[in-house]
Amino acid sequence: VTKALLARGIPPERLVLVEYEQRFCKMLGERYPGVNIVQGDAYGLQKTLAGKVRGQVATVVSSLPLLVRPERDRVALLHQAFELMGDDGLFIQFTYGLAKSPMPLHAVREHFVGKGSAPILMNIPPARVWRYRKAGHAP
């Protein structure tokens, strides 16, 4: 994900990577110099990023294995992300769950809307990319 974001022209200093595992943080730092790496729990995003980002976050790009977590953890993550981003933020989720949204839309439909891509069949296993926005805000 980081490689693709950099290839699309996002300056490394604008990226903040959250990774739980210390050795993976070290590898990311070696592989992507200039990128900001924060070791911590992405499911506690606000606490993990407290004092580490200035201003609002524009977008959260996630490849967390959401479908293995309880629904309440996923809902809390989405709320935390939008508290960091503001109403016009965008939460992007890469997932292997083809059948349904990894965010429980039935539980958040009054606050958020989600739209999934067509299945990416060339990926093994097939995957989808979901985009979530605050209900009533930017398309």
Side-chain angles (χ1 to χ4, degrees):
V1 172
T2 302
K3 182 178 179 180
L5 291 170
L6 292 168
R8 295 287 294 188
I10 307 289
E13 64 274 7
R14 297 245 0 238
L15 291 178
V16 178
L17 310 180
V18 176
E19 171 55 44
Y20 188 78
E21 214 290 315
Q22 184 176 8
R23 288 177 294 177
F24 198 59
C25 286
K26 184 176 186 227
M27 185 273 303
L28 288 169
E30 292 168 356
R31 188 173 288 176
Y32 305 109
V35 169
N36 302 292
I37 300 162
V38 177
Q39 183 181 2
D41 185 0
Y43 287 100
L45 199 55
Q46 282 188 299
K47 183 178 178 183
T48 296
L49 293 179
K52 296 185 174 71
V53 293
R54 288 185 285 187
Q56 282 191 326
V57 172
T59 303
V60 171
V61 179
S62 167
S63 56
L64 289 167
L66 294 180
L67 294 172
V68 302
R69 294 294 289 244
E71 191 174 278
R72 70 179 179 281
D73 291 354
R74 294 180 269 154
V75 169
L77 172 63
L78 198 56
H79 281 285
Q80 287 182 65
F82 278 93
E83 286 181 30
L84 290 166
M85 293 186 292
D87 290 343
D88 291 327
L90 174 63
F91 187 100
I92 299 172
Q93 175 67 38
F94 178 82
T95 188
Y96 294 115
L98 294 179
K100 62 180 182 174
S101 167
M103 288 294 179
L105 291 175
H106 69 283
V108 297
R109 73 175 135 239
E110 62 201 44
H111 302 287
F112 305 103
V113 293
K115 183 176 182 182
S117 70
I120 304 163
L121 300 175
M122 295 297 288
N123 196 74
I124 299 181
R128 291 179 80 179
V129 177
W130 282 83
R131 298 166 51 100
Y132 299 94
R133 293 220 183 251
K134 274 243 175 145
H137 290 272

